[in-house]
Amino acid sequence: MTGSPIVSAEGVVKRFGLLEVLKGVSLDVQPGETVCIIGPSGSGKTTFIRCINHLEKIDGGRIEVNGHLIGYREKNGKLVEDSEVNIARQRVEIGMVFQRFNLFPHMTALENVIEAPLRVRKLSKELAVKEGEALLDRVGLADKRDVYPGKLSGGQQQRVAIARALAMKPALMLFDEPTSALDPETIGEVLEVMKELVAVGMTMIVVTHEMGFAREAADRVVMMDEGLVIEEGTPEHFFTRPDHERTQQFLSKIL
Amino acid sequence: MLAAFEWHIFWERIFHPDHVFAQALWRTIYIAVLAQFFGVVFGLVSALMRRSTFLPLRILGGLYVLIVRGTPVIVQIFFIYFGANLFLGFDLFPRTVDLGLFSLSGAVVAGIVALSINEGAYMSEIIRAGIESVDRGQMEAARSLGMPPRLGMRRIVLPQAARVIVPPLGNEFNNMLKTTSLLAFIGVYELFLDADVHYSSTFKPSEYFAAVAFWYLVLTIVWSVIQAWIEGRLAASERGDRLSFLERVREAWAPVPGRLWSRAR
């Protein structure tokens, strides 16, 4: 693929105290691409995508989204952390879906979806509601607009969370193990919604253990282990003849 | 020999309180309400200061709580009422304070200020605990949607913290109703000073203090009923979970159950 990437991460380093969880991770994602990040737990994949929208500070390297440096400003050749207000502005173009949904429990499904469009994008109420209803319809939950998250199943909550992230019209969607907290019978409905996003050309980075989804929907699969990207390639390459021994071991364990 | 308890004095204080007494009662109530209100404001400000990323603010917020919770409230009342005069050479609180529409005695204003500052330190702890009870993922979700920290705090975290804050806040107000009695010592004519004045002129402590104790009991019982009602409504709305903090309070105080005062949908 050619053109400028939407995400460009270079040598990202992240430490929690003495523990170095990312040891120089680099990854470029092209517009419209779906990248699945797999790897054993503790390999740093969740931390890495949390760095992309600066929910985590980074201790080295740099991350650009749409050509904008994320979380930092360049000052005399050095990186200084940006203000939260500026970072908030950058996050508008990066949607995120969490493992534990993190819906706002004191708001209905529709209110969850329209909250940020109303307060951050400053849409009129009518327009926000119209867009919000369309999004809920798109994830198959139009009839749940006035229901509180506590009354929704895990799969339904996660679909509302996806609609909520899409409501900001992001250029990039990050998924942090979106099906790991779900009952097996509701995983499918969430994956369906994600596949539909792939089909309409959304740029997505998905941290997942769903190898079926990775095989079917990903343009590229990235394997992380111990804070490094150890292998990347097409799903076909990955699931038939992975090069790296660690990848072979990992896949043989979970497939 | 012990003086006999003169029941007629006691009953009269309960069934036929005089005009001065009624004013003292009202003064006790409005001082408690105002001091509690400003206490919540101070508590919120200092709780947020203590969570700031800016170290001096954190230190300032922490010192406020440390000092206020570490010293007796009566000392704080005296310090605020007389302190300015001793240290600065002028009265911070003049004899009467003109507030435009009406004026209050300086002692009442000083009392409200002192009790608010004191209450703020306790509310700070309660509000901090409430904020910390909200799952971290909530703020992360708000941030990931491009909400600046302040907006996320106001719209997402505080409404959820409110359900943890309201029960101890009710307790604090119960305390506040009784703590106002300390303002008698700076000459605020409230319930306790009224009893004290009668005692001084009659030397009948048991009758007057028993009567005033009764009135404090009435105040706290009335409040506990209101508090139970608010908490009941809170629990009810939690099942549906549809109201913000302000809406909850408004809802709890609505004369008719239902959506009378809440925002139209």
Side-chain angles (χ1 to χ4, degrees):
Chain A
M1 266 185 252
T2 52
S4 55
I6 280 202
V7 180
S8 165
E10 263 175 57
V12 177
V13 175
K14 171 70 186 174
R15 297 185 198 94
F16 289 118
L18 289 175
L19 184 69
E20 200 170 50
V21 283
L22 298 178
K23 300 172 180 165
V25 176
S26 298
L27 181 72
D28 280 1
V29 178
Q30 303 297 328
E33 203 181 9
T34 300
V35 175
C36 283
I37 304 180
I38 62 171
S41 48
S43 58
K45 43 193 199 309
T46 286
T47 305
F48 176 62
I49 70 162
R50 285 167 60 85
C51 289
I52 295 175
N53 68 352
H54 203 68
L55 284 181
E56 304 285 354
K57 294 174 194 203
I58 58 177
D59 298 301
R62 57 188 291 148
I63 297 173
E64 287 180 12
V65 174
N66 256 348
H68 305 295
L69 188 60
I70 293 295
Y72 296 86
R73 279 176 300 135
E74 276 183 299
K75 209 173 175 182
N76 307 326
K78 272 193 184 168
L79 297 188
V80 276
E81 190 168 24
D82 215 337
S83 71
E84 270 290 333
V85 174
N86 284 340
I87 297 170
R89 222 166 277 146
Q90 299 179 322
R91 288 196 185 108
V92 170
E93 52 190 36
I94 310 172
M96 185 154 194
V97 175
F98 298 87
Q99 183 178 351
R100 302 222 32 95
F101 331 132
N102 296 348
L103 288 182
F104 307 134
H106 57 303
M107 296 180 180
T108 62
L110 183 67
E111 285 168 343
N112 264 278
V113 175
I114 66 174
E115 176 68 13
L118 277 178
R119 314 248 163 204
V120 180
R121 283 173 63 205
K122 315 269 186 205
L123 293 189
S124 70
K125 178 119 189 204
E126 295 77 50
L127 187 56
V129 168
K130 206 174 133 227
E131 287 188 11
E133 285 174 338
L135 281 167
L136 284 176
D137 189 38
R138 196 167 150 194
V139 299
L141 292 172
D143 57 326
K144 302 288 185 192
R145 55 165 275 171
D146 295 323
V147 177
Y148 284 85
K151 298 247 189 306
L152 295 173
S153 73
Q156 290 170 333
Q157 287 190 57
Q158 193 61 298
R159 286 187 281 155
V160 173
I162 293 172
R164 179 176 71 173
L166 290 174
M168 294 305 284
K169 301 202 184 303
L172 165 71
M173 285 283 285
L174 306 173
F175 291 84
D176 180 13
E177 305 198 18
T179 56
S180 297
L182 296 178
D183 293 333
E185 64 266 32
T186 63
I187 289 177
E189 66 195 46
V190 172
L191 292 179
E192 280 312 308
V193 170
M194 290 169 64
K195 282 178 196 160
E196 192 232 295
L197 284 179
V198 173
V200 297
M202 173 62 78
T203 311
M204 296 162 59
I205 303 179
V206 185
V207 169
T208 188
H209 293 294
E210 287 297 322
M211 294 304 144
F213 177 80
R215 192 197 298 250
E216 222 180 294
D219 296 303
R220 193 148 50 105
V221 180
V222 172
M223 166 85 186
M224 281 182 72
D225 190 33
E226 294 184 348
L228 286 170
V229 172
I230 59 168
E231 186 165 357
E232 57 180 296
T234 61
E236 198 221 345
H237 161 87
F238 232 87
F239 293 106
T240 52
R241 44 189 162 74
D243 300 326
H244 206 283
E245 195 189 338
R246 212 40 207 97
T247 313
Q248 290 163 7
Q249 281 173 4
F250 177 70
L251 290 176
S252 71
K253 250 183 242 158
I254 65 170
L255 284 182
Chain B
M1 197 194 107
L2 282 172
F5 190 87
E6 293 191 31
W7 282 99
H8 72 94
I9 296 180
F10 178 77
W11 292 126
E12 182 161 328
R13 297 303 290 167
I14 286 164
F15 290 109
H16 297 286
D18 54 26
H19 181 62
V20 177
F21 173 88
Q23 279 188 335
L25 176 66
W26 172 235
R27 202 168 282 125
T28 289
I29 293 170
Y30 77 68
I31 288 173
V33 169
L34 288 174
Q36 188 65 46
F37 173 79
F38 289 113
V40 171
V41 173
F42 291 164
L44 182 61
V45 170
S46 86
L48 293 176
M49 277 167 75
R50 289 162 76 199
R51 295 178 54 85
S52 167
T53 50
F54 187 55
L55 183 66
L57 276 185
R58 279 209 304 280
I59 292 175
L60 211 62
L63 271 181
Y64 165 64
V65 173
L66 180 78
I67 292 170
V68 172
R69 295 208 315 160
T71 53
V73 60
I74 186 71
V75 175
Q76 293 162 15
I77 292 166
F78 274 36
F79 191 84
I80 282 171
Y81 190 49
F82 302 116
N85 194 312
L86 293 177
F87 289 102
L88 308 171
F90 67 87
D91 282 331
L92 193 55
F93 299 99
R95 185 162 288 274
T96 57
V97 179
D98 188 3
L99 295 173
L101 290 173
F102 58 97
S103 53
L104 284 173
S105 91
V108 168
V109 176
I112 292 172
V113 169
L115 291 179
S116 304
I117 290 174
N118 181 264
E119 182 56 26
Y122 291 91
M123 283 311 302
S124 177
E125 287 289 273
I126 290 169
I127 292 171
R128 187 173 63 95
I131 290 173
E132 278 168 10
S133 75
V134 178
D135 185 67
R136 277 187 57 217
Q138 291 291 309
M139 195 51 149
E140 286 187 349
R143 287 162 74 201
S144 79
L145 289 166
M147 295 171 82
R150 254 182 227 196
L151 185 63
M153 183 55 78
R154 186 164 61 81
R155 293 285 308 168
I156 306 303
V157 176
L158 285 180
Q160 294 181 60
R163 70 181 91 168
V164 180
I165 292 171
V166 165
L169 185 145
N171 234 10
E172 287 295 304
F173 185 64
N174 172 300
N175 233 329
M176 178 65 80
L177 284 167
K178 296 168 295 180
T179 308
T180 52
S181 59
L182 291 176
L183 299 185
F185 294 97
I186 58 169
V188 173
Y189 202 95
E190 43 63 73
L191 280 182
F192 183 74
L193 187 55
D194 183 59
D196 193 53
V197 163
H198 283 88
Y199 152 66
S200 312
S201 58
T202 61
F203 296 102
K204 299 267 180 222
S206 322
E207 290 80 354
Y208 287 106
F209 289 131
V212 82
F214 168 84
W215 282 109
Y216 280 113
L217 194 58
V218 168
L219 285 181
T220 54
I221 287 172
V222 168
W223 170 246
S224 67
V225 171
I226 296 171
Q227 188 187 347
W229 185 26
I230 291 174
E231 283 173 22
R233 300 297 289 263
L234 238 164
S237 65
E238 200 143 293
R239 287 191 287 276
D241 213 336
R242 51 180 313 145
L243 303 175
S244 76
F245 179 35
L246 260 181
E247 287 171 317
R248 276 172 174 159
V249 173
R250 248 184 285 160
E251 187 80 354
W253 284 87
V256 181
R259 324 233 9 111
L260 206 58
W261 291 2
S262 38
R263 136 185 114 191
R265 279 163 198 273

